[in-house]
């Protein structure tokens, strides 16, 4: 053994009980002290299994793993090894044991018998390392995803490990939370010299490391520096991975003859574009305007919201205002995006659309209050969805809900029936009690097929035996089976790998074309909204900040940043280029933006179409 | 359905009672409960009332919140009251018909019983309103410490309580989400007969159970990864501090206990005197 290598693996093989295939099939790897290593791979490539083997949560079938010279397979070493190798898992909620932040962080040190005063010092240090000093006495449930995950990191840091493994710890977070966690990890590596193993399916994260490994089917497919991984380009697609958006953009620009190196920061790409322009003698310029998107006329199934107010836990000391006077109109036929960060009230808002949250005047017990003398009449919220008046007690809620489908976040977690058929049929049977068996089968077949699954193969399977992506599709099928006019999805792509994300968005476009008139997605991913939506609304602090075509919204990038919201990659680069005198007006999608840049680069409007 | 379940009863404020050591609060509650049932005359009971009401005032919790918990047992109160008034036997009979007797002893016993139950619920709600569930479990753990001598796994129990507390809000959120999701698919939880309603719970229960197991699995891994073992060498970071105000409370309660005991000895049965008094009229 040598002191340089903190972890050494030799031809490690592992298979799960009851499975023939190896989840890991001969992995050999050495990790240097102080190294920042990233492991990339699609879901099921064996990367999480690998993490669990490194600290003895799983035991290898073959091969040898040593950590600091200690053999992991020796059960006497396990606790000692876990002191040196800490893991942060995917779901921050499921790794905390206490309801107070400091108690939770104390859990690890308590387990290994650290003295009381020292635990106090370690809590101080760990919270400082993750930038959460202010939250020492908070309750984790009231924190955002990114904050919770930083607390989970602190909980592992307090054990003072030499190696920190992040097992897809950013997969469930919003872009802001992801950045927060990655910042912390980078700092720990640089300032504390901690060895980091970052397991992820986001290329842009993986490429921050000193060295990256691409895993596929339990084997190391590519190993090298981030630059080398970049170069491999199209091979990555065969491993179900995709290049970061910025690299795709760079490729497009290179295709037009620009000299662009692979970079990850939008500013650097913008600088390269500027350099290219100036080399060609183009100083300043303006692209053509984006095509006007047809404005939808008043349709039959418009959603109209006026002065919507909503308070959680009313009349308790914990009352919090979620919505503060929302005015919004969503026309029929839109692919509508609702943007806002966690806690902005966007989920609360959409739950009003199918009366999961009823307006107060629609509740059975509601009695109109007479305003006191000298007071104005209180503002009454109103919502209309097509012909349905959601403020009316006599509104037919059942009919409304069959026309406004709602897919919640992680919809696969609400599957319950013994077969896929029964689960998909559940909604339809609820809405149409007297439906005939043939009609039911017909509808279920159609909806399973439209989400891209094979009806005959899947209908009798238990939904719990399916893969993650299939489960999500079945859950969506279970909502669209009633053929709703309006389909609402809360974070439809949450937790998926990039390929899964693209597939789900493609599915939604297909549904928008063939199945439902209006599709509404709630999202915190600006790129997702820019690429897909025809119109979007930004919700901030319980009110509508803007409602317009995405490119018009993202043109106000400084205002959005002030609200703590991000803008898509294209807007970032466009803003940077504008300071140099190049005005690129695209509709914010990657392909349109690339076209417009190339248009300016090739000297104004060249295409004579 | 679960919208109104705010987790725990805790009423945030910064009163003296809020800041007391949870252990002294727990012990005081036990003392009050014992004394309420030991008290055999009106003076003792009045003393208990004085202590409870001063605690409520000192806690700065609105009286309404305290009464809300009494509301929950009002039915039991009325029921026991009726039972006792009509069926309690005694020598000073006012009214008699078949098995029904109304006696002076019966009335006095009933008044006592109601006061006891009433005060008991109020006293316990003062504890839960002023103490966070976390502080309560810390207090219970600390009070149970001596049981480690007979090899009772106190820290395991404490960890179980802590994890339960930690996951209650998470699981309530999850339940709400599943209910909403199934409602959006037309599930109906509010109408139909009892069998239909029970059947309607299945689509909530199964996903919830599956998710709870999944969480338990992941939590187990996370705890293992953070070096959790059943070793005896475990240390404890949090220490409850017994301060001056706790000592002060301790003395008040000592005086209170002494008071009730003294009243019990010197002012015992006042029932006959009342009867004499009524007879005069």
């Amino acid at each position: 053994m040598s002191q340089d290598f903190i972890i050494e693996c030799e031809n490690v093989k592992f298979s799960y009980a009851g499975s023939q295939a190896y989840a890991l099939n001969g992995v050999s790897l050495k990790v240097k002290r102080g190294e920042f290593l990233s492991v990339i791979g699609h879901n099921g490539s064996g990367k999480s299994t690998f993490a669990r083997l490194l600290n003895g949560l799983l035991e290898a079938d073959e091969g040898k793993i040593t950590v600091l010279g200690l053999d992991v397979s020796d059960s006497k070493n396990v606790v000692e090894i876990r002191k040196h190798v800490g893991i942060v898992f995917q779901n921050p909620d499921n790794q905390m044991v206490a309801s107070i932040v400091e108690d939770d962080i104390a859990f690890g040190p308590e387990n290994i018998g650290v003295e009381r005063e020292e635990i106090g010092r370690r809590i101080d240090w760990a919270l400082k390392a993750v930038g959460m000093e202010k939250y020492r006495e908070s309750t984790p449930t009231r924190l955002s995803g990114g904050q919770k995950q930083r607390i989970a990191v602190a909980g592992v840091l307090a054990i003072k490990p030499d190696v920190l493994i992040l097992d897809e710890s950013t997969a469930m977070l919003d872009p802001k939370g992801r950045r927060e966690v990655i910042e912390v990890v980078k700092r720990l590596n640089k300032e504390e010299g901690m060895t980091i193993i970052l397991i992820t399916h986001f290329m842009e994260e993986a490429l921050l490391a000193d060295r990256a490994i691409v895993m596929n089917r339990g084997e190391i497919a590519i190993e090298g520096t981030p630059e080398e991984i970049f170069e491999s380009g199209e091979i990555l697609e065969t491993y179900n991975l995709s290049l970061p958006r910025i690299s795709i953009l760079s490729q497009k620009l290179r295709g037009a003859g620009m000299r662009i190196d692979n970079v990850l920061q939008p500013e650097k790409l913008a600088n390269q574009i500027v350099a290219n322009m100036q080399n060609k003698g183009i100083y300043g310029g303006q692209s053509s305007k984006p095509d006007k998107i047809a404005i939808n006329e008043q349709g039959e199934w418009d959603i109209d919201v006026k002065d919507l107010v909503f308070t959680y836990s009313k009349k308790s000391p914990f009352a919090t205002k979620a919505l503060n006077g929302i005015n919004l109109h969503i026309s029929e036929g839109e692919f509508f995006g609702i943007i806002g960060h966690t806690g902005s009230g966007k989920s609360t808002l959409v739950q009003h659309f199918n009366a999961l949250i009823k307006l107060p005047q629609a509740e059975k017990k509601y009695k109109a209050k007479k305003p006191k003398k000298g007071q104005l009449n209180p503002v009454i919220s109103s919502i209309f969805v097509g012909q349905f008046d959601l403020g009316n007690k006599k509104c037919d809620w059942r009919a409304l809900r069959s026309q406004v489908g709602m897919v919640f976040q992680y919809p696969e977690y609400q599957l319950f029936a013994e077969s896929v058929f029964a689960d998909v049929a559940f909604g339809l049977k609820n809405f149409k009690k007297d439906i005939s068996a043939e009609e039911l089968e017909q509808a279920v077949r159609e909806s399973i097929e439209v989400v891209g699954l094979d009806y005959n193969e899947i209908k009798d399977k238990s939904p719990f035996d399916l893969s993650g992506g299939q489960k999500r599709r079945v859950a969506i099928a279970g909502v669209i089976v009633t053929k709703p006019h309006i389909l609402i999805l809360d974070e439809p792509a949450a937790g998926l790998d990039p390929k899964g994300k693209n597939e789900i968005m493609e599915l939604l476009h297909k549904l928008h074309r063939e199945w439902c008139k209006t599709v509404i997605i709630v999202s915190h991913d600006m790129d997702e909204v820019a690429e897909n939506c025809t119109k979007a609304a930004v919700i901030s602090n319980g009110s509508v900040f803007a409602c317009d075509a995405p490119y018009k919204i993202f043109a106000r990038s400084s205002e959005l940043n002030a609200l703590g919201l991000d803008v898509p990659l294209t807007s970032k680069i466009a803003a940077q280029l504008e300071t140099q005198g190049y005005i690129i007006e695209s509709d914010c999608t990657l392909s349109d933006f690339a076209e417009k840049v190339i248009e300016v680069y090739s000297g104004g409007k060249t295409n004579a179409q | 359905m679960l919208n109104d379940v705010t987790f725990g009863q805790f009423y945030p404020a910064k009163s003296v009672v809020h800041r007391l050591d949870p252990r002294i609060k727990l012990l005081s509650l036990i003392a009050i409960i014992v004394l309420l049932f030991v008290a055999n005359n009106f003076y003792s009971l009045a003393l208990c009332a004085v202590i409870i009401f001063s605690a409520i005032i000192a806690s700065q919790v609105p009286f309404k919140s305290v009464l809300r918990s009494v509301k929950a047992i009002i039915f039991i109160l009325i029921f026991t009251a009726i039972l006792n008034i009509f069926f309690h036997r005694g020598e000073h009979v006012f009214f008699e018909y078949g098995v029904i007797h109304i006696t002076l002893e019966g009335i006095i016993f009933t008044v006592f019983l109601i006061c006891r139950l009433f005060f008991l619920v109020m006293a316990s709600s003062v504890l839960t309103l002023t103490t966070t569930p976390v502080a309560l479990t810390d207090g219970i753990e600390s009070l149970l410490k001596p049981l480690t001598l007979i090899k009772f796994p106190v820290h395991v129990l404490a960890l179980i309580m802590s994890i339960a507390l930690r996951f209650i809000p998470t699981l309530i959120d999850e339940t709400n989400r599943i209910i909403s999701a199934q409602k959006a698919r037309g599930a109906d939880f509010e109408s139909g007969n009892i069998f239909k309603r029970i059947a309607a719970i299945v689509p909530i229960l199964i996903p919830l159970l599956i998710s709870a197991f999944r969480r338990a699995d992941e939590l187990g891994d996370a705890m293992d990864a953070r070096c959790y073992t059943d070793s005896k060498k475990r240390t404890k970071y949090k220490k409850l501090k017994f301060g001056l105000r706790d000592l002060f409370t301790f003395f008040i309660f000592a005086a209170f206990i002494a008071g009730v005991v003294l009243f019990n000895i010197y002012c015992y049965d006042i029932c006959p005197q009342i009867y004499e008094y009524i007879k005069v009229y």
Side-chain angles (χ1 to χ4, degrees), chain A residues 52 82 93-98 103-104 107 110-111 113-114 116 136 413-414 423 427 430-431 464 478, chain B residues 162 166 180-182 185-187 207 210 215 218-219 221-222 224 226-228 233-238:
Chain A
R52 278 156 208 253
R82 285 179 188 162
D93 274 330
N94 296 352
Q95 27 188 330
M96 294 190 196
V97 293
D103 294 0
D104 188 73
F107 180 71
E110 285 175 349
N111 288 337
V114 176
R116 220 177 89 75
R136 190 174 178 140
Y413 294 154
Q414 72 214 27
D423 210 296
N430 284 329
F431 288 120
F464 305 111
Chain B
S162 165
R166 158 71 191 78
S180 300
Q182 308 297 26
R185 293 209 278 161
I210 289 172
R215 286 179 191 279
E218 289 179 20
L219 181 70
D221 271 353
D224 274 344
R226 283 165 80 182
C227 307
Y228 182 73
K233 275 184 264 163
R234 227 172 166 271
T235 47
K236 178 88 186 146
Y237 169 62
K238 195 168 238 180

Side-chain angles (χ1 to χ4, degrees), chain A residues 38 167 183 192 385 404 598:
Chain A
S38 64
D167 183 7
E183 281 308 312
E192 308 277 339
V385 176
V404 183
I598 294 164

Side-chain angles (χ1 to χ4, degrees), chain A residues 235-448:
Chain A
I235 292 182
L236 292 172
E237 306 254 330
T238 58
Y239 303 134
N240 280 348
L241 293 167
S242 64
L243 284 173
R245 285 169 60 80
I246 193 162
S247 313
I248 297 171
L249 182 60
S250 306
Q251 272 180 359
K252 286 192 176 174
L253 296 178
R254 269 198 295 268
M258 293 172 89
R259 294 178 53 126
I260 306 274
D261 293 331
N262 275 316
V263 285
L264 284 171
Q265 295 83 359
E267 303 81 44
K268 284 193 185 161
L269 181 58
N271 289 340
Q272 291 195 48
I273 295 173
V274 170
N276 268 291
M277 298 272 189
Q278 290 174 347
N279 273 344
K280 218 185 155 199
I282 304 166
Y283 296 91
Q286 191 165 5
S287 76
S288 58
K289 291 199 171 10
D291 301 332
K292 278 245 170 71
I293 300 161
I295 296 161
N296 285 296
E297 297 295 318
Q298 281 254 311
E300 211 179 319
W301 282 95
D302 288 4
I303 297 177
D304 193 56
V305 182
K306 283 219 161 70
D307 303 316
L308 181 60
V309 185
F310 184 77
T311 309
Y312 272 114
S313 322
K314 233 181 191 170
K315 288 179 190 169
S316 90
F318 303 104
T320 40
K321 222 168 199 178
L323 300 179
N324 198 359
I326 296 263
N327 289 295
L328 188 64
H329 186 89
I330 301 175
S331 306
E332 182 183 289
E334 302 275 13
F335 197 114
F336 199 89
I338 294 181
I339 314 168
H341 44 76
T342 319
S344 60
K346 55 193 195 313
S347 296
T348 314
L349 171 66
V350 292
Q351 288 192 41
H352 279 90
F353 294 167
N354 68 347
L356 285 175
I357 304 175
K358 284 185 190 170
L359 290 175
Q361 68 266 33
E363 294 287 354
K364 279 179 198 155
K365 288 180 205 155
Y366 177 80
K367 277 186 200 125
K369 273 185 211 153
K370 276 186 185 163
K372 285 176 192 155
K373 265 183 192 167
Q375 276 184 347
L376 294 166
N377 276 321
V379 181
I380 302 279
S381 318
S382 81
I383 303 175
F384 284 89
V385 176
Q387 298 301 312
F388 293 98
D389 175 5
L390 271 52
N392 189 339
K393 280 183 203 181
K394 287 177 193 134
C395 181
D396 185 351
W397 306 118
R398 187 175 284 272
L400 171 76
R401 283 179 193 158
S402 75
Q403 293 302 335
V404 183
M406 171 95 72
V407 179
F408 280 78
Q409 226 181 96
Y410 298 100
E412 55 273 28
Y413 294 154
Q414 72 214 27
L415 299 174
F416 71 96
E418 68 282 3
S419 73
V420 169
F421 182 89
D423 210 296
V424 175
F426 175 71
L428 196 56
K429 278 204 274 188
N430 284 329
F431 288 120
K432 287 189 190 164
K433 302 264 182 209
D434 49 356
I435 190 166
S436 72
E438 294 84 55
E439 267 185 276
L440 185 68
E441 204 198 316
Q442 172 75 10
V444 172
R445 175 193 290 274
E446 277 178 18
S447 57
I448 288 181

Side-chain angles (χ1 to χ4, degrees), chain A residues 39-280:
Chain A
V39 180
I40 335 156
H42 61 92
N43 288 345
S45 59
K47 55 194 196 306
S48 290
T49 309
F50 181 58
R52 278 156 208 253
L53 285 163
L54 291 183
N55 76 344
L57 285 174
L58 295 174
E59 205 177 312
D61 298 340
E62 279 176 47
K64 196 178 173 194
I65 304 174
T66 51
V67 174
L68 289 160
L70 297 166
D71 187 348
V72 177
S73 61
D74 189 344
S75 59
K76 273 178 279 172
N77 290 336
V78 164
V79 174
E80 192 57 30
I81 284 168
R82 285 179 188 162
K83 280 189 208 171
H84 295 291
V85 181
I87 300 193
V88 181
F89 294 90
Q90 187 176 28
N91 188 339
D93 274 330
N94 296 352
Q95 27 188 330
M96 294 190 196
V97 293
S99 312
I100 304 280
V101 166
E102 61 172 348
D103 294 0
D104 188 73
I105 297 173
F107 180 71
E110 285 175 349
N111 288 337
I112 55 172
V114 176
E115 288 305 315
R116 220 177 89 75
E117 288 73 26
E118 172 63 14
I119 296 179
R121 281 194 292 275
R122 287 190 182 192
I123 294 174
D124 287 337
W125 172 76
L127 280 175
K128 200 164 171 242
V130 299
M132 294 283 290
E133 300 98 315
K134 278 189 223 149
Y135 298 89
R136 190 174 178 140
E137 280 160 29
S138 305
T139 306
T141 35
R142 291 190 191 262
L143 302 177
S144 75
Q147 289 175 324
K148 277 187 213 169
Q149 197 62 291
R150 276 146 74 197
I151 296 300
V153 173
V156 173
L157 287 182
I159 305 170
K160 296 233 164 178
D162 299 294
V163 184
L164 181 66
I165 303 178
L166 293 111
D167 183 7
E168 297 194 39
S169 309
T170 54
M172 296 183 83
L173 306 180
D174 59 13
K176 189 168 167 240
R178 223 150 61 204
R179 263 200 311 275
E180 290 169 5
V181 172
I182 291 297
E183 281 308 312
V184 165
V185 171
K186 269 176 17 193
R187 203 168 56 229
L188 282 169
N189 178 250
K190 264 198 196 122
E191 290 170 15
E192 308 277 339
M194 192 169 281
T195 313
I196 306 281
I197 301 179
L198 176 70
I199 296 171
T200 179
H201 47 225
F202 294 110
M203 280 297 255
E204 44 276 68
E205 284 173 8
L207 298 174
L208 298 169
D210 304 329
R211 184 159 67 113
I213 287 171
V214 178
M215 289 199 64
N216 189 43
R217 297 187 184 191
E219 289 171 20
I220 295 179
I222 318 176
E223 182 183 346
T225 60
E227 286 74 26
E228 285 165 353
I229 306 277
F230 253 134
E231 301 303 322
S232 47
E234 259 122 64
I235 292 182
L236 292 172
E237 306 254 330
T238 58
Y239 303 134
N240 280 348
L241 293 167
S242 64
L243 284 173
R245 285 169 60 80
I246 193 162
S247 313
I248 297 171
L249 182 60
S250 306
Q251 272 180 359
K252 286 192 176 174
L253 296 178
R254 269 198 295 268
M258 293 172 89
R259 294 178 53 126
I260 306 274
D261 293 331
N262 275 316
V263 285
L264 284 171
Q265 295 83 359
E267 303 81 44
K268 284 193 185 161
L269 181 58
N271 289 340
Q272 291 195 48
I273 295 173
V274 170
N276 268 291
M277 298 272 189
Q278 290 174 347
N279 273 344
K280 218 185 155 199

